Amino acid sequence: MAGIAVRKLREAATTHKLKNIAAHAAFAAGRFTLHAGDADAAAPELERAAELFTAANLPHEAARARLSLAQALAGKHAELAANEAKTAATAFERLGAKRDASAAGELLRTLGRG
């Protein structure tokens, strides 16, 4: 079911040429892939989502994508994961998103960086 939703988001993004829809499609694909257990395949989707959200001036969504990217990288690339988690935490704190900042802090602690 989630795969169908991701495909429909990608189709809408292509049809309407909207970066924010493309960003949501990449984020959904990355999260779906991450939860399916393929962190290596999820990482590029989540990185693309973060870049597109940033370009669309959607800082909270960009930070959420970076936190998910950090989760995807944590297993094999702890240093990169920590950098992404720190970037996300800083953005969440600036935005006043306490719950998200707490999640980023928890990941940093898990990585031995917080």
Side-chain angles (χ1 to χ4, degrees):
M1 188 70 165
I4 294 169
V6 168
R7 190 176 72 243
K8 288 188 179 282
L9 274 172
R10 286 191 193 279
E11 289 170 3
T14 301
T15 300
H16 301 292
K17 296 180 180 17
L18 296 172
K19 284 184 184 177
N20 62 338
I21 294 175
H24 283 287
F27 184 65
R31 295 284 298 170
F32 176 74
T33 305
L34 180 60
H35 286 286
D38 192 349
D40 291 338
E45 291 285 356
L46 295 166
E47 186 171 17
R48 182 169 184 264
E51 291 168 357
L52 289 169
F53 282 133
T54 299
N57 197 29
L58 296 168
H60 186 251
E61 290 83 351
R64 288 182 65 224
R66 292 211 176 278
L67 180 56
S68 293
L69 175 57
Q71 293 165 340
L73 294 171
K76 293 184 179 178
H77 306 283
E79 190 65 34
L80 291 173
N83 289 339
E84 293 295 342
K86 285 177 191 173
T87 300
T90 299
F92 291 139
E93 289 166 7
R94 187 174 53 247
L95 294 165
K98 293 179 182 179
R99 186 178 306 175
D100 290 324
S102 177
E106 181 61 34
L107 180 56
L108 284 166
R109 284 187 289 284
T110 299
L111 293 168
R113 306 292 200 290

